[in-house]
Amino acid sequence: MYLLGLGIVLLLLKTFEIGPVAAWPWWWTLVPFALAAAWWAWADATGYTRRRAMEKMERRKQDRIDRQRAAMGQPPKRRGK
């Protein structure tokens, strides 16, 4: 996401000819977009995105269980780590 933001900023600077970016070749301003696309392709191919989503769901589930235990007056049990 940071690469996409950087690419947008560089693209705007190049388009409106602001600062030293105006003198850069166009391909330099488009490099962050290519890097972002490569990152997303790698993350999807290796399962990184899916693992992160599963970890987030597991954390939410455990937090919900802990809140319910606390509401019943029982101490929360943390398993694993």
Side-chain angles (χ1 to χ4, degrees), residues 23-75:
W24 294 358
W26 270 103
W27 66 272
W28 269 109
T29 58
L30 299 176
V31 165
F33 293 112
L35 292 174
W39 164 255
W40 284 327
W42 174 83
D44 287 342
T46 61
Y48 177 78
T49 306
R50 177 65 59 152
R51 277 192 311 273
R52 292 286 304 250
M54 289 174 32
E55 289 170 0
K56 182 179 177 182
M57 284 189 294
E58 188 62 34
R59 275 193 311 269
R60 291 179 67 195
K61 176 183 168 185
Q62 189 62 47
D63 290 342
R64 186 173 52 248
I65 291 170
D66 290 345
R67 280 194 313 270
Q68 290 173 350
R69 284 183 178 273
M72 291 188 303
Q74 298 175 353

